[in-house]
Amino acid sequence: MRNGSKHGEASPFSDKIVFSQVKEGLGGNLRIILSGAAPLSAYEWWHVVMLCKDMVSFFTDCLTETCAGTFASLPNELSMLSTMGPLVLNVDVRLESVPEMGYDALASTPRGEICQRGKTLFTGYYKREDLTNEVMVDGWFHTEDIGEWKPNGSMKVIDRKNIFKLLQWEYVAVENLENVYDSASVVESQALERWAADSGVSGELESIYKDPKAKEYILGELTKTGKEKQLEGFEFIKAVHLDHALFDMDHDLPPPHLRRRGLNCLSIIRVVDEMYKSANKPNA
């Protein structure tokens, strides 16, 4: 294809020996497969073939607020690999500036939150008008994805706002969980000091933070708060790390207003990695 061949002519040997079997397994008339929800890298697009073995799961995953396709890459345009491609005809799309993250929709390279409008969009979340009003503003659905318009007319997702997509395809709204867990009195250091006094744990606050019983206490209180607020199972905190250092530049940690600036947070990543491992141990 880099030498100018079309998609259907670029690999006759592989088409005959390998891909023909995949084609027959999917009915014999397969020409194109679309991959949605997350971008594939320029060298991993072929993995989508394996994803289609479980067709029920595949089509279930296609059901979203935007009712599937909004952009579609063109198979013969190598420059569109790793992008979502150009816009389809049934929806309107615009970029909205996100100044707190440094994205300007009117810059020479337009970047901002991807917003959509059209008849294919959902009408709202079932019995959750509050959530619907958060994402639907003046008829525009705010996707929370940060996009960049490329010179060839395609759209590339380059960042994400404050919603995380978990491995099991569930979405987590960060601000909502922050508000829920902030309501727990245990997040205040004074609460930990009172617990230490009542539990006979002595020493400076820094040493108390390292006590496994302190982590157990904090996690238990946060779990109680999650149950009181009727959170979903995937929204519960599974592990905690206690540290006496503030999130500031003096401790090589990003303060809240710089947390999305891509600072060197290797130490945090290592801590989170260890938390993830501990939370996934058998019987943990």
Side-chain angles (χ1 to χ4, degrees):
M1 290 182 67
R2 289 191 179 91
N3 293 329
S5 298
K6 297 294 185 182
H7 181 265
E9 305 167 351
S11 55
F13 181 79
S14 296
D15 286 343
K16 183 177 181 180
I17 303 300
V18 181
F19 298 128
S20 61
Q21 300 178 42
V22 177
K23 185 174 182 179
E24 289 300 322
L26 293 171
N29 296 314
L30 178 66
R31 293 192 303 114
I32 295 174
I33 294 178
L34 298 179
S35 170
L40 296 175
S41 73
Y43 301 99
E44 293 177 338
W45 58 269
W46 52 272
H47 282 296
V48 73
V49 173
M50 304 306 296
L51 297 177
C52 291
K53 286 188 174 181
D54 186 350
M55 297 302 288
V56 174
S57 174
F58 175 73
F59 284 111
T60 298
D61 293 338
C62 284
L63 302 178
T64 67
E65 293 92 337
T66 56
C67 299
T70 303
F71 299 86
S73 293
L74 305 180
N76 290 315
E77 296 294 333
L78 284 179
S79 63
M80 292 185 180
L81 288 177
S82 77
T83 75
M84 296 190 295
L87 181 66
V88 298
L89 298 179
N90 59 314
V91 293
D92 297 325
V93 170
R94 68 180 179 87
L95 294 181
E96 183 174 294
S97 298
V98 187
E100 65 271 22
M101 297 178 69
Y103 295 120
D104 186 357
L106 300 179
S108 56
T109 301
R111 296 188 179 103
E113 182 179 6
I114 302 173
C115 300
Q116 302 180 217
R117 180 179 64 183
K119 294 182 179 180
T120 59
L121 268 66
F122 77 143
T123 56
Y125 296 110
Y126 182 63
K127 293 185 178 180
R128 290 302 304 269
E129 185 178 358
D130 56 334
L131 293 180
T132 302
N133 292 335
E134 288 182 12
V135 298
M136 295 292 292
V137 181
D138 296 329
W140 289 92
F141 172 64
H142 287 61
T143 66
E144 298 280 344
D145 285 322
I146 302 297
E148 174 186 311
W149 282 115
K150 308 298 288 184
N152 61 10
S154 61
M155 177 70 76
K156 181 179 179 64
V157 175
I158 60 173
D159 204 345
R160 184 75 176 160
K161 289 185 72 176
N162 294 332
I163 291 182
F164 297 140
K165 189 174 186 180
L166 305 182
L167 292 178
Q168 62 268 43
W169 296 80
E170 299 286 358
Y171 288 96
V172 176
V174 181
E175 287 92 345
N176 178 57
L177 293 185
E178 286 179 350
N179 292 332
V180 168
Y181 289 116
D182 277 347
S183 66
S185 60
V186 72
V187 299
E188 301 175 357
S189 61
Q190 291 85 352
L192 190 58
E193 292 173 341
R194 289 193 296 269
W195 167 84
D198 295 340
S199 303
V201 178
S202 59
E204 298 294 330
L205 192 59
E206 182 177 353
S207 63
I208 295 176
Y209 281 172
K210 297 178 182 179
D211 193 314
K213 294 181 180 179
K215 290 185 179 182
E216 184 178 349
Y217 164 68
I218 294 290
L219 189 58
E221 293 300 307
L222 293 176
T223 300
K224 289 180 182 178
T225 299
K227 291 179 179 180
E228 292 173 358
K229 300 297 182 179
Q230 298 181 332
L231 296 180
E232 299 290 344
F234 56 84
E235 294 177 318
F236 278 78
I237 293 176
K238 301 297 191 299
V240 297
H241 172 76
L242 305 181
D243 200 317
H244 70 288
L246 296 175
F247 269 66
D248 57 32
M249 304 302 290
D250 292 337
H251 293 93
D252 198 28
L253 297 172
H257 67 284
L258 290 178
R259 60 187 173 187
R260 304 186 192 93
R261 288 297 184 180
L263 298 179
N264 183 10
C265 300
L266 184 58
S267 59
I268 299 178
I269 294 174
R270 288 172 177 165
V271 168
V272 173
D273 187 50
E274 289 301 318
M275 291 168 59
Y276 189 86
K277 291 178 181 179
S278 66
N280 285 277
K281 288 181 179 179
N283 302 320

